[in-house]
């Protein structure tokens, strides 16, 4: 059996998401894509299984946990529909772009249809926030239990941003993509990404500042 | 009271770690079956490009020419309107002149 290898992507998408996939080459991908386009729909399953890790790594981070499966379906159905237009060298990168844009569409729809008022921070969250800020002890806030609260605080803050601000902040600030990579993934200009990033960071800072109650003397 | 740069950096570092930990969340694999069901229901993905992508491509290619044409048409329309108004004014003035001549000389 051949050793597993990494699929090459123009902007190191697979590297960034740390995904190792099976040993078949991009030529194999092209062959399967041609089969699917020619009408062999079942061949798409092997493509899906080969690249699901890349898509999962993206979707898990960008959408709420209970929406992951639905969004995964949307990504692969969209990629199936767009398969005849695929002309690139890297199917993985092409799929990453579709995955990021599907997540962006998810948030656009979510914000459009949102009727319920946004949740507010609980006392536990505020306590966690203050402890994270002013606790000088050696305890790690990256432990599993505390990470849940960290995620909830982050979700609370991100929920107060627009879909555009949210996506830019997640891609560049939280995931560490460059502005150029984020622009490619979202299909925006780099100038637009830069402006959005500046504004969204400012908003996030204001949100966290407002949420954190400064009780230095208490902590 | 504002958070200092150091405090904010510490907080965002923790939040960043929590964000990246989302990648380790377990997900069931049932969605794969649902994808294949949806895809089989859809049938083949047509290799012939649809009209919409072709049209979209043309839209961007023709956008500068269309903008220029619109600007020319707008200018022309403005000029024609001005000419039209000028003609009407001239017509009225001529009519007034004619009636004055009739009254004066009985022409």
């Amino acid at each position: 059996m051949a050793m597993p290898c990494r699929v090459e992507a123009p902007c190191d998408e697979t590297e960034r998401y740390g995904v190792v996939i099976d040993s078949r080459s991009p030529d194999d991908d092209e062959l399967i894509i041609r089969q699917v386009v020619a009408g062999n729909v079942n061949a798409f399953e092997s493509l899906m299984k080969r690249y699901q890790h890349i898509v999962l790594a993206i979707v898990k981070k960008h959408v709420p946990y209970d929406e992951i499966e639905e969004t995964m379906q949307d990504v692969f159905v969209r990629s199936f529909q767009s398969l005849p237009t695929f002309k690139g060298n890297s199917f993985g990168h092409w799929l990453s772009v579709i995955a990021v844009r599907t997540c962006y569409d998810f948030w656009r729809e979510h914000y459009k249809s949102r009727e319920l008022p946004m949740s507010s921070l609980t006392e536990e969250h505020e306590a966690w926030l203050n402890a994270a800020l002013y606790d000088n002890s050696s305890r790690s806030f990256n432990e599993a239990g505390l990470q849940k609260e960290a995620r909830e605080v982050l979700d609370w803050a991100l929920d107060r941003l627009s879909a555009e601000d949210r996506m830019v902040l997640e891609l560049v600030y939280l995931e560490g993509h460059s502005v150029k990579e984020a622009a490619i993934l979202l299909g925006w200009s780099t100038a637009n990404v830069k402006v959005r990033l500046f504004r969204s960071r400012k908003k996030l800072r204001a949100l966290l500042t407002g949420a954190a109650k400064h009780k230095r003397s208490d902590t | 009271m504002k958070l200092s740069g150091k405090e904010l950096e510490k907080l965002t570092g923790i939040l960043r770690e929590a964000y990246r930990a989302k990648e380790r969340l377990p997900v069931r694999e049932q969605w794969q079956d649902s994808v294949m069901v949806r895809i089989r229901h859809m049938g083949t993905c047509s290799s012939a490009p649809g009209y919409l992508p072709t049209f979209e491509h043309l839209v961007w290619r023709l956008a500068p020419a269309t903008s220029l044409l619109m600007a020319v048409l707008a200018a022309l329309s403005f000029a024609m309107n001005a000419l039209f108004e000028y003609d009407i004014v001239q017509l009225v003035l001529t009519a007034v002149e004619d009636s004055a001549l009739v009254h004066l000389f009985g022409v």
Side-chain angles (χ1 to χ4, degrees), chain A residues 67 105-117:
Chain A
E67 298 286 348
D105 289 346
F106 167 82
W107 285 115
R108 280 170 63 190
E109 284 301 313
H110 177 79
Y111 285 124
K112 223 187 283 175
S113 59
R114 182 163 59 189
E115 288 171 2
L116 294 168

Side-chain angles (χ1 to χ4, degrees), chain A residues 7 12 21 25 41 51 57 73 78 105 110 120 145 158 164-165 169 183 187:
Chain A
V7 166
D12 294 337
I21 59 174
S25 68
V41 174
Y51 288 99
Q73 287 184 43
R78 275 171 82 161
D105 289 346
H110 177 79
S120 54
L158 292 174
E164 290 79 13
D165 288 347
L169 204 67

Side-chain angles (χ1 to χ4, degrees), chain B residues 50-107:
Chain B
Y51 290 111
L52 195 62
T54 315
F55 182 68
E56 277 176 1
H57 179 67
L58 277 176
V59 163
W60 292 115
R61 184 166 278 188
L62 295 174
T66 314
S67 307
L68 191 69
L69 189 67
M70 280 179 71
V72 169
L73 283 175
L76 210 64
S77 158
F78 178 77
M80 282 178 76
N81 265 344
L83 279 175
F84 183 67
E85 279 165 14
Y86 177 75
D87 286 346
I88 288 176
V89 171
Q90 215 171 23
L91 191 73
V92 169
L93 285 174
T94 316
V96 170
E97 271 174 22
D98 287 349
S99 65
L101 284 172
V102 168
H103 281 290
L104 276 173
F105 306 108
V107 180

